[in-house]
Structure formats: C-alpha cells, structure tokens
C-alpha cells in the first residue's frame, strides 16, 4: 500500500510539473514482449501489436483513465437522445503517413475492413444499421437499437482506422503493405529488424501542432525475462511495460534511483483473472463445491505474495475499474471451515480436480501452486495439469479441464468484456474467449440482453447490479484478482501514461527531460 | 576419385533421408495439441468461430491431413518452403533473414571451442600430472559442469551490469547509424559474451578428449619407434601423436557443426540474439507449421552436410580411412 501511495504521489507530481516545460527530441527505448507477429492492427489485435501499432494507427476516439471519451481522429461527436444516431466530426487536414489525405471515406471503408478481420469490432457493430459519410469530414452511424457501450468501442485497438487507398479491392491478408503499415498516428513506421527491434519515427506532419515530442521510438525485443530486467538496469531501455519482467524483479527495479512506476493505463482493459470451473461435469458442476473453492482460496495472500501487493481482490465478474460495477454482492472471505462444511454437505468424495495454469511464466505457475495448497487444506485433491500456449488454448477451447486459469479484458463496459463469459449464447466449443465454463442461467441472459440496449444509465446500473448479485451467488468461475501490471520507467520520461489504454497510445503526449 | 564416389553416394542417401525427415516432422508437428489458428485467435484476446474458421481456411488447415501432406511434400520437392501466415512472409525469407546472425554466433563459438580446446588438451597432455595439467583439467571440468543458461546470466551480470565492459544483449547497437568497419566492431563487441558462453562447454569437451586421446596414442608402438629414432619430442607430438589423436575430436566437431543452425536456442534467448534458434522456438510455441518445418529441414540439411564434410576431413587427416583393405 505504501508503495502504491508513493506511486500515486509521483504520478501527481509528474503531471504537475509536466505542463510547465515540455521538451522536444530524444529517443525512447521500450520493451515489447513477446515480439508481435504483425503490425497491421486491422488484421492482428494481440497485445504487443496493439502496443506498437497504437502509435501508428489511430481510432476515432481515445479514453482517459476514467474511461471518458476524448477526441482523436474525431474532434467532436454527438449522440442522439434516443441513442440511435452517432455523428462524428473528423479533424481536418489529416494525412496518412504516405501523404494521401484522410477522409470520412476511410472510416466507412474501415467498418467494412474490420467486419472481416476483427471479432470484437464485429460484435460491437452487430448493433449498427448503417455507416454513412455525408461529407468528407463527417461520419454518421445509425443503430438498429440503442446500445449503451457503443461509445466505448472507438479506441485504436477496438477500431483502428485503416487507409482505404491501400486496401480497397485487395486481398487484405496478403497485401504487401502489411509489412510497412501506414496510419495517421503520431509516429511512422521505419524499420523492423525481426528478433531485435522495431523503429518508429516522429510524424512531422501530425495534425496536432507540437505533437509528438519524441523523435524516435525503439521497441526492443528481448525474449528472456531476466535479460529484460538487465536491459532496464543498464539503461539500455527506459520503459518496461506491465508484465515485461517477473513480479519478483518489480520491487528491486522500482527501488532504483530515478525509477518511477505506475499502475495507471490499464483502466480500459481492467484485466480480470479467474479460474473457469467446469460447470458441466465433475465436482465443479456442484454449486456448493464452487462456493467451497471460493472460501478455500486465500486470495489476499496471492495478491500480496505472488503479485507483490499489486492488484485488488475482486468481488465478482465486473472489475471495480469497469463501468456499472457493484460491490453489493455476496462475499467470499478466506474461510477454510466454511469450505469444509460445504464440501461435507455436498458429500464430496475426494475425486481429484485438474487445475490448468496459464502458461505465461513463473508467476502463473506459482499462483497455481498456491491454489493447490489452499484447496488441499480443505481436502480437495488437486492435480496440476500443464500445457504450452497452444495446448492451453486447445484444452480450454474444448472444455478439457476442471479448473483453468485465465484472464480477460473488460473494455470499459460489462456488455463488451464481461457478458461474453456468462451468457448461454456464448457457449461455443472451439474458442477460449467465451462462456468456457458452461454457465447457463436463462433469467440472467434476459437481463444481460436488456442491459446492453437500455439507453438509461440508471436502469442499466440496476440490471447489472442484479446480475452481479446472482452470478456471485452461483460462482460459475472463481474470481481471483483484478490484475495490475505496473509500468516501470525512468522518471525523466514524462507524461507517459495519460489514457485508459496507457502505453498503447500514450507516446503521442510523452516527452523526455534532457 | 574415392572421395568423389563417396560424396555422390552420400548425397543420394542424404536426399532420401531429408525427405523422410520432412514427412516425419510433418506428422510430429501436427500431433502437437493446438494449431496456428487457435493460437492466433487466443492471442487476440477475443475470437469467435468465424475468425478461427477464416484463419483455418486461409492457412489451408481445413483440408484433410493427407492433402496438406501432399501439398507440403510437393512444395519442398520444388524447393519451396511455403508461407508463414503468422508472420506474413515466405518461410525462406524468414530463415535467410535470421541465418547470418546465427552463423556468426555459432561459427565463432565453434572455432573458439575447437582451437582453444585442442590447444589446451595438447598442453595438458604434455605436462600430465603437473600443476598446469590440473589447472587446465579443473577449469575445463567447471565449464563442462556449468549449465549454459546460468553461465550466460552470470557473464551478463559481471561483464555488462557490474563492469560495464561489454553489451549484455542484442546483435548490435540499435539506431547507432554505424556502417562498414564501425558496425563490424560493434557486432564483434556484442558477439563476445554469447560466443564465449556457447563455446565454453564444447571447449571443455574438446580439451578433455584431446588430452585423453593424446595420452593414449603416446603409449603406442610407433611413437616409441619415433622416439627411438631420436626425433625431437615436439616433432613427435605434432606429427605423430596429435595427427592420430585428432580423429575422435573431428568426430565430435562434426556433431557440433551439425548443430550450427538450431543448437543455440538458449544462448540466443538470454542474449536476445536475433537468430534462427529463437525463430524455431517461437514458431513452435505459435504452431507456425510452415516456419517450424522449414527450420527443421534446414537444420537437418546442415547435419547431413557436416556429416559428409567430417568424412572427408577424416580422409585428409588419415589417408588409410576409406581405402579398401
């Protein structure tokens, strides 16, 4: 806690002085881990791609750390009172990195492009009736029904605007320009030396005067976590994005002189970790067993020890950072006796459960071991299953597990990032990003559907509160942690994190004190 | 003539072996759980069935396995290693892009370990039982027993973090704008730690093997004859003992040389060296079938080539080999 307060203070101090004198120039070296497969953000949306390409491509909007929409390619926007029409007014004089002018036609084209390539966009735009461009700087989106979270679907990762003049009429996946991405963003692509680094440079024609400040960005590829820590220690890189080093190195690095850290910049994603409990078969199909698991887990311990005190123990399916969160739900404190009672009541026969950790490094392995220990304390037999990333995807997508670790982003709104894990229409074998646990509750399905299209926010809150109360009672999954990934950086890098997606679009405003 | 005949025979066998390896690899990689579409979809953090089905169709994974195998074998017979859909580039390009870095690293390590190992082995055998011998053997044992991964990290901590003498990772100074000679020097500086780390283990092996082999050959009758003729000890050691003692070392060097392409995964990972070992490892994790099969095939090719070279070197060192009895 002490550490967090200090961090908050540093961030506040940084923002206070930051406004005074911003300096131009310099170069910034950051870690990107793992190396992205491609930088064409419209085609590939994995984490590392978003982090690098968020400087190259832009969305219509950005979101601050309170998740309020901010101008980006759109300088202003209006939502009709009935929630059926969204009008975006685009910035004028915007050009693509190759000099071609940007216009509303690109936005209209983008909605077609992403329809074929971006599952999250596809889901959000399934509520859209039409997208039109009445003039070169205006885009009008007409809805089929009011859809509350829609205004949260316009940042660079959710809807990166792609150039029509390059992609229209071509086979998107094999377009040669994918190797040299062209966007409207504050930095331009220069070079990608595979296995070593990605070099971006300042866009001198950027449409906001005076931005960006930094001349060159180098995203460095360093595959070993210990070597990444060394790279930061020796000053070779100045920014370690969240999750770039193992948790036990975080303390040592942040205590070095001239090093700052912040957990801001993840509000939009609000990574939420849990274990899917297989609701279909085995002991985990019994609600009492699942509740016993919640009482058996010492989640505060894991937060303090495995995650060095970063993060927050969640109360249920919705992160406290996400809109429409409610803490008015049943509570599950660490209570082994209660867990044993529930197990006795259901007559648990000692059938072992298979726990599948997430193959993302040591931290997750240790987490699985902590869970095993907690569960064995109350008499549940546990076998730790293991798999590499492909194996994990295969097992979870095909429901071959009893308890499986995962974490998912929430994208600011329960309808965007939470509902997909709990509604019955999302029970689809073959993908690990839906209702993998097999939870079915027709009553709640109706409420999820109603909440998504409810134009009145107070009524939405009411519906989401009821949903949260019921789901927390049913424990379809065991919620473990609202993850916080601290970004570690040299304190002379200023204004680094100003939005709810942090480093993914933050370099526009960052500057370096020489 | 004999050598030319052998080479031809070996090449024919090699081609068949390569084909068999390719088919075996194909089945092995398809037997691993998951496929590239699932991994790509998984990484996106959001996916629907349409996305996975689209990807499978695009990668040709919606076809039956025998069709995929038929296409793959057809491709390699026309020297086409295929396309990496994950990385959006032809596999051959990806491999060629990474090959120079790996060869610089592994060849340097290879020559360091071979030359230093043989030299130390000769030196130790010449002073067997004395202090120099114990020092060399002891040090070699230490190198031999140290896990590569740990040695690499320690080397970085000492020479890069503490002393600041050498860069701790990477292939060259990023964004330095160096060209020509400056760039070569820069790469050389980056090369020292990984090449030494990679070379030390094999150096120890060569040293021990040379020493043992030298001592063994020194006991043989023809050496006694040479000594009786009154030849100088240094001449005996060089022309009589070493030449015969080198054969087992060459065998081992041939084995090590076969791993020049794929054998440096750990070193490349710790030192962030942009080589082919990492390409292989990352492609395996991502189930990037075409890339991983391509790297396997090139590695297998190297093993076969170096086996042939080893056979030729045998004959050069000892002309008796290969002559009909």
């Amino acid at each position: 806690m002490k550490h967090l307060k200090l961090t908050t203070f540093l961030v506040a101090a940084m923002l206070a002085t930051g406004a005074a004198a911003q300096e131009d120039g310099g170069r910034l070296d950051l870690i990107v881990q793992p190396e992205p497969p491609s930088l064409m953000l419209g085609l590939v949306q994995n984490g590392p791609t978003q982090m690098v390409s968020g400087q190259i491509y832009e969305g219509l909007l950005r979101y601050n750390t309170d998740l309020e929409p901010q101008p980006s390619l759109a300088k202003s926007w209006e939502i009709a009172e009935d929630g059926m029409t969204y009008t975006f007014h685009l910035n004028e004089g915007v050009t693509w990195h190759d000099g071609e002018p940007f216009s509303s036609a690109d936005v209209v084209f983008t909605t077609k492009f992403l329809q074929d390539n971006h599952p999250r966009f596809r889901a959000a735009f399934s509520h859209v009736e039409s997208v039109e461009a009445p003039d070169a700087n205006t885009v009008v989106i007409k809805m089929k029904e009011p859809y509350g979270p829609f205004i949260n679907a316009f940042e660079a990762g959710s809807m990166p605007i792609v150039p029509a003049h390059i992609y229209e009429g071509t086979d998107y996946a094999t377009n040669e320009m994918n190797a040299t991405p062209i966007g409207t963003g504050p930095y331009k692509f220069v070079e990608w030396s595979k296995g070593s680094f990605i070099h971006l440079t300042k866009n001198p024609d950027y449409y906001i005067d005076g931005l960006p400040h930094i001349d060159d960005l180098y995203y460095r590829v360093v595959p070993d976590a210990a070597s990444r820590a060394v790279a930061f220690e020796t000053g070779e890189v100045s920014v370690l994005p969240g999750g770039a080093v193992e948790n036990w190195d975080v303390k040592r690095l942040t205590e070095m002189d001239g090093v700052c850290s912040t957990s801001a910049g993840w509000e939009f994603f609000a990574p939420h970790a849990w274990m899917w409990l297989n609701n279909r078969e085995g002991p985990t199909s019994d609600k009492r067993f699942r509740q016993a698991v919640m009482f058996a887990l010492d989640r505060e311990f894991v937060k303090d020890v495995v995650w060095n005190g970063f993060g927050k123990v969640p109360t249920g399916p919705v992160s406290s950072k996400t809109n429409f969160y409610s803490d008015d739900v049943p509570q599950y404190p660490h209570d082994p006796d209660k867990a044993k009672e529930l197990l006795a009541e259901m007559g648990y026969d000692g059938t072992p459960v298979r726990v599948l950790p997430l193959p993302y490094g040591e931290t997750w392995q240790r987490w699985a071991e902590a869970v095993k220990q907690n569960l064995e304390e109350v008499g549940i037999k546990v076998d730790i299953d293991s798999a590499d990333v492909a194996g994990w995807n295969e097992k979870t997508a095909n429901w071959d597990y009893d308890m499986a670790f995962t974490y998912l982003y929430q994208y600011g709104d329960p309808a965007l990032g939470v509902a997909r894990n709990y509604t019955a229409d999302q029970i689809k074998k073959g993908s690990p990003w839906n209702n993998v646990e097999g939870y079915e509750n027709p009553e709640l399905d109706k409420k999820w559907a109603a909440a998504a299209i409810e134009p009145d926010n107070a009524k939405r809150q009411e519906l989401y509160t009821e949903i949260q109360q019921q789901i927390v009672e049913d424990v379809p999954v065991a919620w473990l942690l609202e993850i916080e990934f601290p970004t570690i950086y040299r304190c002379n890098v200023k204004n680094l994190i100003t939005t709810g997606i942090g480093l993914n679009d933050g370099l526009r405003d960052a500057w370096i004190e020489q | 003539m004999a050598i030319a005949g052998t080479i031809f025979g070996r090449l024919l066998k090699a081609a068949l072996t390569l084909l068999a390896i390719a088919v075996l690899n194909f089945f092995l990689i398809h037997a691993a759980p998951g496929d590239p579409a699932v991994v790509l979809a998984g990484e996106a953090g959001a996916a629907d069935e349409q996305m996975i089905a689209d990807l499978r169709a695009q990668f040709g994974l919606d076809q039956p396995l025998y069709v995929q195998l038929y296409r793959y074998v057809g491709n390699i017979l026309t020297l086409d290693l295929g396309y990496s859909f994950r990385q959006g580039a032809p596999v051959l390009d990806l491999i060629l892009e990474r090959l120079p870095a790996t060869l610089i690293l592994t060849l340097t390590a290879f020559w360091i370990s071979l030359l230093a190992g043989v030299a130390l082995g000769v030196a130790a055998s010449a002073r067997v039982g004395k202090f120099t011998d114990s020092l060399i053997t002891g040090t070699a044992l230490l190198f031999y027993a140290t896990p590569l991964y740990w040695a690499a990290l320690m080397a970085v901590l000492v020479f890069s973090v503490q002393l600041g003498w050498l860069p701790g990772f990477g292939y060259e100074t990023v964004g330095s704008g160096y060209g020509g000679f400056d760039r070569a020097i820069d790469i050389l500086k980056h090369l020292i730690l990984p090449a030494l780390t990679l070379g030390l283990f094999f150096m120890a092996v060569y040293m021990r093997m040379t020493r043992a082999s030298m001592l063994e050959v020194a006991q043989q009758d023809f050496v006694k004859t040479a000594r009786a003729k009154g030849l100088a000890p240094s001449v005996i050691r060089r022309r009589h003992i070493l030449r015969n003692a080198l054969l087992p070392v060459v065998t081992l060097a041939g084995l090590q040389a076969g791993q020049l392409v794929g054998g440096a995964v750990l070193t490349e990972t710790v030192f962030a060296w942009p080589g082919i070992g990492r390409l292989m490892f990352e492609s395996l994790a991502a189930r990037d079938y075409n890339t991983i099969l391509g790297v396997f095939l090139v590695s297998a090719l190297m093993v076969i080539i170096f086996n042939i070279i080893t056979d030729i070197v045998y004959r050069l060192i000892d002309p008796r080999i290969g002559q009909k009895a």
Side-chain angles (χ1 to χ4, degrees):
Chain A
M1 272 322 282
K2 196 175 142 204
H3 175 78
L4 284 179
K5 273 180 198 155
L6 180 68
T7 310
T8 320
F9 170 75
L10 285 172
V11 171
M14 186 188 83
L15 288 173
T17 55
Q22 290 161 351
E23 296 172 39
D24 282 352
R27 103 176 215 187
L28 190 63
D29 288 73
L30 310 92
I31 287 287
V32 59
Q33 166 60 27
E35 186 166 21
S38 159
L39 292 179
M40 195 339 177
L41 190 53
L43 293 174
V44 178
Q45 294 97 29
N46 75 3
T49 301
Q50 287 195 45
M51 201 173 90
V52 178
S53 299
Q55 325 304 330
I56 302 172
Y57 294 95
E58 291 181 300
L60 291 179
L61 302 175
R62 305 166 100 210
Y63 302 90
N64 64 16
T65 50
D66 292 324
L67 302 182
E68 294 156 349
Q70 308 290 315
S72 185
L73 277 173
K75 63 181 176 188
S76 63
W77 57 97
E78 294 121 34
I79 307 172
E81 252 174 50
D82 59 1
M84 295 293 280
T85 309
Y86 288 68
T87 308
F88 293 92
H89 303 283
L90 307 179
N91 271 299
E92 282 156 41
V94 179
T95 54
W96 294 99
H97 292 158
D98 59 4
E100 295 287 320
F102 157 82
S103 80
S104 56
D106 291 302
V107 180
V108 175
F109 171 74
T110 294
T111 60
K112 292 175 197 145
F113 181 101
L114 296 179
Q115 191 67 38
D116 295 337
N117 294 294
H118 194 323
R120 212 146 46 76
F121 173 90
R122 197 147 53 213
F125 268 63
S126 65
H127 304 270
V128 167
E129 177 69 41
S130 69
V131 183
E132 276 157 24
D135 65 59
N137 294 304
T138 310
V139 175
V140 178
I141 300 176
K142 291 235 184 337
M143 309 294 290
K144 289 180 195 156
E145 63 223 345
Y147 181 57
F150 195 60
I151 193 63
N152 282 332
F154 294 95
E155 52 83 40
S158 307
M159 187 184 170
I161 304 299
V162 300
H165 68 279
I166 287 174
Y167 287 100
E168 197 145 36
T170 69
D171 178 12
Y172 307 148
T174 56
N175 190 311
E176 281 183 5
M177 291 300 287
N178 292 340
T180 51
I182 298 286
T184 56
Y187 294 90
K188 299 202 284 190
F189 174 83
V190 181
E191 184 193 2
W192 184 356
S193 174
K194 292 269 170 79
S196 288
F197 64 89
I198 298 165
H199 177 195
L200 309 183
T201 192
K202 183 177 188 161
N203 174 6
D205 305 317
Y206 193 58
Y207 55 90
I208 301 176
D209 279 341
L211 291 182
H213 299 292
I214 301 170
D215 288 339
D216 291 282
L217 302 179
Y218 288 92
Y219 287 92
R220 309 285 293 270
V221 180
V222 181
D224 180 60
S227 304
R228 291 195 287 275
V230 167
F232 186 76
E233 274 183 286
T234 56
E236 186 93 3
V237 301
S238 305
V239 180
L240 292 173
V245 292
E246 294 284 5
N247 282 340
W248 57 82
D249 274 334
V250 168
K251 190 163 184 287
R252 181 170 62 88
L253 296 175
T254 47
E255 281 169 358
M256 286 164 53
D257 280 344
V259 170
C260 295
S261 75
T262 173
S263 53
W266 287 84
E267 294 78 6
F268 183 74
F269 301 118
H272 211 62
W274 65 77
M275 283 187 296
W276 280 306
L277 306 175
N278 199 330
N279 285 220
R280 302 174 188 83
E281 55 189 12
T284 46
S285 62
D286 190 311
K287 180 165 115 181
R288 289 165 296 185
F289 185 89
R290 302 197 299 266
Q291 288 175 335
V293 168
M294 286 296 275
F295 284 118
L297 296 176
D298 189 349
R299 299 180 290 165
E300 290 289 343
F301 168 83
V302 166
K303 189 198 82 178
D304 290 338
V305 176
V306 180
W307 288 87
N308 282 328
F310 283 100
K312 183 170 177 291
V313 171
T315 54
V318 181
S319 165
S320 60
K321 293 193 179 70
T322 304
N323 295 328
F324 305 107
Y325 163 75
S326 168
D327 61 0
D328 182 17
V329 295
Q331 303 293 318
Y332 295 94
H334 178 48
D335 187 347
D337 292 332
K338 180 91 180 143
K340 283 181 199 159
E341 261 173 52
L342 283 161
L343 290 175
E345 189 189 319
M346 72 167 271
Y348 170 60
D349 59 358
T351 313
V353 288
R354 294 167 299 157
V355 171
L356 182 65
L358 204 52
Y360 287 176
E362 269 302 306
T363 298
W364 294 85
Q365 197 60 40
R366 292 181 183 194
W367 201 348
E369 279 154 18
V371 162
K372 178 180 160 93
Q373 195 177 335
N374 277 164
L375 294 182
E376 290 185 338
E377 276 160 10
V378 301
I380 299 174
K381 288 213 181 72
V382 175
D383 295 325
I384 293 189
D385 209 355
S386 52
D388 68 354
V389 173
W392 180 91
N393 277 293
E394 173 91 359
K395 277 173 194 265
T396 52
N398 292 309
W399 309 338
D400 178 19
Y401 69 94
D402 292 316
M403 303 168 77
F405 278 82
T406 190
Y407 74 92
L408 244 65
Y409 292 165
Q410 304 218 319
Y411 305 112
D413 193 290
L416 293 175
V418 183
R420 57 180 169 156
N421 192 55
Y422 303 101
T423 56
D425 62 346
Q426 289 291 316
I427 300 179
K428 291 170 188 166
K429 218 173 197 171
S431 162
W433 306 117
N434 52 31
N435 187 345
V436 168
E437 75 275 10
Y439 175 64
E440 285 183 73
N441 188 329
E443 278 303 304
L444 287 192
D445 285 354
K446 279 182 211 147
K447 287 184 184 172
W448 282 113
I453 57 169
E454 171 58 57
D456 180 47
N457 276 347
K459 284 186 191 148
R460 280 194 84 196
Q461 178 69 63
E462 216 170 281
L463 284 165
Y464 282 127
T465 303
E466 289 169 27
I467 290 172
Q468 288 172 68
Q469 286 164 342
Q470 185 59 49
I471 284 194
V472 172
E473 164 70 22
D474 288 346
V475 199
V477 306
W479 302 283
L480 299 172
L481 188 69
E482 293 178 7
I483 301 179
E484 275 180 7
F485 292 114
T487 303
I488 305 171
Y489 59 99
R490 298 276 165 181
C491 297
N492 67 337
V493 184
K494 309 291 185 188
N495 241 12
L496 185 61
I497 295 199
T498 49
T499 70
I501 60 172
L503 289 178
N504 288 10
D505 65 358
L507 278 310
R508 185 188 92 172
D509 305 298
W511 56 281
I512 302 169
E513 191 175 65
Q514 305 295 337
Chain B
M1 266 317 283
I3 287 185
T6 318
I7 293 179
F8 180 76
R10 293 296 294 267
L11 283 180
L12 192 70
K13 275 188 220 158
L16 291 173
T17 315
L18 260 188
L19 197 65
I21 290 174
V23 172
L24 195 66
N25 284 341
F26 179 86
F27 283 113
L28 276 176
I29 193 81
H30 280 269
D35 69 29
V38 169
V39 175
L40 266 179
E43 287 172 347
D48 47 19
E49 291 130 289
Q50 188 189 340
M51 178 181 183
I52 292 177
D54 286 353
L55 287 173
R56 289 217 172 102
Q58 190 194 343
F59 301 170
L61 296 173
D62 52 345
Q63 304 291 322
L65 199 59
Y66 69 87
V67 176
Q68 294 182 44
L69 177 65
Y70 176 76
R71 285 184 186 165
Y72 176 66
V73 172
N75 277 347
I76 53 174
L77 286 180
T78 54
L79 301 180
D80 175 5
L81 292 183
Y83 189 82
S84 165
F85 289 98
R86 180 182 174 80
Q87 304 213 31
V91 170
L92 190 63
D93 291 1
L94 290 174
I95 292 177
L96 291 180
E97 191 180 17
R98 297 293 191 97
L99 203 55
T102 288
L103 287 181
I104 288 174
L105 172 64
T106 52
L107 281 174
T108 310
F110 176 74
W111 286 112
I112 290 177
S113 59
L114 187 60
L115 296 180
V118 169
L120 287 173
V122 170
S125 71
R127 294 166 187 76
V128 65
K130 303 225 173 75
F131 175 72
T132 319
D133 180 32
S134 309
L135 184 71
I136 293 176
T137 340
T139 317
L141 187 66
L142 187 71
F143 292 153
Y144 183 71
T146 311
L148 185 63
Y149 190 80
W150 187 82
L153 280 176
M154 288 306 119
V156 171
L157 282 181
V158 173
F159 294 104
S160 185
V161 178
Q162 298 295 330
L163 298 172
W165 290 351
L166 292 167
F169 65 90
Y171 176 69
E172 57 186 316
T173 306
V174 168
S176 63
Y178 290 144
F181 186 67
D182 287 341
R183 180 162 183 240
I185 293 290
D186 184 48
I187 293 178
L188 190 66
K189 277 189 195 157
H190 284 81
L191 179 63
I192 294 174
L193 283 184
L196 281 180
T197 315
L198 186 61
L200 285 182
F201 174 85
F202 269 99
M203 188 183 85
V205 176
Y206 291 133
M207 179 267 143
R208 289 168 66 91
M209 186 157 266
T210 310
R211 179 179 175 274
S213 185
M214 290 283 286
L215 291 177
E216 194 190 311
V217 176
Q219 302 300 318
Q220 289 184 8
D221 289 343
F222 73 90
V223 178
K224 286 180 192 153
T225 313
R227 206 170 285 142
K229 280 197 299 190
L231 286 177
S234 62
V235 176
I236 298 178
R237 208 174 296 133
R238 202 172 60 240
R239 300 210 41 185
H240 294 258
I241 308 182
L242 180 60
R243 196 155 178 170
N244 282 287
L246 272 183
L247 286 177
V249 177
V250 170
T251 311
L252 196 71
L255 282 178
Q256 190 200 353
Q259 297 174 19
L260 283 176
V261 171
V265 182
L266 267 182
T267 316
E268 288 176 5
T269 303
V270 176
F271 289 100
W273 194 263
I276 225 157
R278 272 170 59 200
L279 179 68
M280 174 172 76
F281 185 70
E282 284 156 17
S283 305
L284 185 64
R287 302 290 189 272
D288 186 351
Y289 292 155
N290 285 344
T291 310
I292 184 80
L293 288 173
V295 176
F296 281 171
L297 198 68
V298 172
S299 304
L301 187 68
M302 293 297 272
V303 172
I304 288 171
I305 290 175
F306 278 99
N307 270 338
I308 295 175
I309 294 180
T310 310
D311 282 357
I312 297 168
V313 173
Y314 278 154
R315 279 152 211 249
L316 296 179
I317 293 180
D318 187 344
R320 285 170 302 182
I321 295 177
Q323 287 173 354
K324 295 223 167 76

